[in-house]
């Protein structure tokens, strides 16, 4: 498809397990963002990639969270030793180099539930 | 944590009514944006504002970038059922060498036919 694709759409896991969430951005978009959205809240910034490198990872809450984008396209958000507080919708967004400033194209999100 | 304060948190209105929501911050932003999120989807950009004092319209939507660069409002005229959703303000500030986009907590709009 032409939009940002995220998989899985839903993930239920047990406390302490490892989780990977995948984002496939719009083709040609160099900037990629991960946000986390808790119930009743706005998206909260986690990490920003420009190409393959993480330009800003200051939003990652702790060292259990890690994200990669090895070829400058698909990105994977990895969460180790999941906790119940990690339950949220994880949104991925991409932006065109010459796009409207601030216009991020979001995927539908991956809803993570940690039991 | 969030640096943008949106109000009201939620609104329940009759179809055809006008709606107004706003966003304030203690920080100065270079750009203000308004996004809408439908259930089960990611936010979609509605309007972008780039200059203090700027007033911009997009169909039934009108938004303004406050003179102090610390606030913005969004108006929706003659609401229709498909306006239902969550409206987020977002601000761009230059931080860490790049433009960082920060979202408010959202205003939830319900429209009664």
């Amino acid at each position: 498809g032409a939009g940002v694709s995220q998989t899985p759409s839903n993930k239920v896991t047990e406390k302490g397990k490892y989780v990977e969430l995948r984002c496939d951005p719009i083709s040609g978009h160099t900037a990629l963002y991960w946000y986390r959205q808790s119930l009743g809240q706005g998206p909260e910034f986690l990490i920003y990639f420009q190409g393959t490198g993480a330009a800003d990872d200051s939003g990652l809450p702790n060292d259990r969270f890690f994200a990669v984008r090895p070829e400058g396209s698909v990105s994977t958000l990895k969460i180790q030793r999941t906790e119940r507080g990690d339950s949220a919708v994880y949104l991925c967004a991409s932006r065109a180099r010459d796009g409207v400033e601030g216009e991020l194209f979001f995927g539908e999100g991956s809803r993570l539930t940690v039991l | 944590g969030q640096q943008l304060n949106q109000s009201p948190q939620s609104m329940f209105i009759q179809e055809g009514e006008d709606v107004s929501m706003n966003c304030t911050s203690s920080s100065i932003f270079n750009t203000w944006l308004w996004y809408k999120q439908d259930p089960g989807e990611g936010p979609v950009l509605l309007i972008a504002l780039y200059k203090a004092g700027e007033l911009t319209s997009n169909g039934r939507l009108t938004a303004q970038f406050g003179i102090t660069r610390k606030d913005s409002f969004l108006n929706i005229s003659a609401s229709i059922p498909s306006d239902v959703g969550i409206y987020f303000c977002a601000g761009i500030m230059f931080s860490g060498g790049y433009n960082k986009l920060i979202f408010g907590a959202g205003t939830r709009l319900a429209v009664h036919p």
Side-chain angles (χ1 to χ4, degrees):
Chain A
V4 176
S5 176
Q6 290 189 246
T7 55
S9 54
N10 277 287
K11 175 71 176 179
V12 179
T13 191
E14 293 180 340
K15 180 173 178 284
K17 298 291 187 183
Y18 170 78
V19 166
E20 286 191 354
L21 306 175
R22 175 189 166 108
C23 173
D24 201 340
I26 293 173
S27 178
H29 282 194
T30 56
L32 184 146
Y33 304 77
W34 283 99
Y35 282 81
R36 177 169 70 176
Q37 188 173 23
S38 300
L39 192 63
Q41 298 296 317
E44 177 186 7
F45 171 78
L46 295 178
I47 186 169
Y48 157 58
F49 287 91
Q50 183 60 252
T52 60
D56 184 351
D57 64 359
S58 63
L60 295 177
N62 51 59
D63 61 6
R64 295 186 299 103
F65 288 74
F66 189 71
V68 296
R69 196 186 184 199
E71 298 178 358
S73 178
V74 170
S75 175
T76 304
L77 178 66
K78 308 179 180 191
I79 310 174
Q80 298 177 320
R81 303 183 305 280
T82 51
E83 299 177 357
R84 291 195 180 89
D86 298 335
S87 297
V89 175
Y90 289 82
L91 293 166
C92 176
S94 67
R95 178 173 60 84
R97 180 188 297 275
D98 298 322
V100 171
E101 184 67 49
E103 182 169 25
L104 304 187
F105 292 86
F106 283 87
E108 295 183 348
S110 291
R111 180 178 297 278
L112 175 66
T113 303
V114 182
L115 301 178
Chain B
Q2 302 286 358
Q3 299 180 40
L4 302 181
N5 300 305
Q6 272 191 258
S7 64
Q9 287 187 330
S10 61
M11 303 181 73
F12 187 81
I13 62 171
Q14 292 287 127
E15 182 177 359
E17 289 184 358
D18 296 343
V19 172
S20 184
M21 57 191 79
N22 67 75
C23 196
T24 60
S25 173
S26 57
S27 303
I28 289 175
F29 287 93
N30 302 320
T31 299
W32 282 91
L33 308 114
W34 286 90
Y35 277 80
K36 183 192 177 200
Q37 186 175 30
D38 291 328
E41 298 186 11
V44 174
L45 181 67
L46 297 174
I47 286 182
L49 302 153
Y50 301 107
K51 287 174 56 176
E54 179 181 355
L55 184 71
T56 296
S57 293
N58 179 6
R60 294 179 296 106
L61 307 179
T62 302
Q64 184 158 29
F65 189 152
I67 289 291
T68 64
R69 295 164 62 195
K70 294 184 178 181
D71 64 302
S72 176
F73 72 73
L74 175 71
N75 288 340
I76 306 173
S77 62
S79 58
I80 59 178
S82 63
D83 290 334
V84 165
I86 306 175
Y87 291 80
F88 292 103
C89 65
I92 293 180
M93 60 168 46
F94 192 73
S95 172
Y98 79 103
N99 285 331
K100 192 169 187 174
L101 186 61
I102 298 171
F103 286 84
T107 294
R108 284 144 191 80
L109 179 64
V111 180
H112 189 70

